[in-house]
Amino acid sequence: METIYKVALVIMFLVVIFNLGQALYFMMTDKDGSKRTVWALTRRISFSLLLIAMVIIGIRMGWIHPHGVGQ
């Protein structure tokens, strides 16, 4: 279960990066009045919040372990 969860986290992170790149592309190529950039950034924020929630759940369930930098 831990390995599948970690793979899901990596895939979610890649989706966030993809949406950020997509928003950059839309911002550079679209004409005025297009909403594609806004939608791409909205999806990125939603996926980022989901990723943060997944990390918190994974830590609480014991599937992932923080390494304690600075302790």
Side-chain angles (χ1 to χ4, degrees), residues 9-25 40-41 43-48 51:
L9 286 175
V10 170
I11 290 171
M12 185 61 71
F13 180 72
L14 293 174
V15 168
V16 169
I17 297 299
F18 173 76
N19 277 301
L20 185 61
Q22 191 177 34
L24 176 66
Y25 175 77
L41 289 173
R43 282 192 312 267
R44 183 192 65 89
I45 292 169
S46 301
F47 286 132
S48 295
L51 179 64

Side-chain angles (χ1 to χ4, degrees), residues 18-42:
F18 173 76
N19 277 301
L20 185 61
Q22 191 177 34
L24 176 66
Y25 175 77
F26 291 153
M27 185 174 64
M28 296 302 212
T29 59
D30 285 353
K31 305 292 183 214
D32 292 337
S34 177
K35 302 263 188 211
R36 293 195 311 172
T37 303
V38 174
W39 283 110
L41 289 173
T42 302

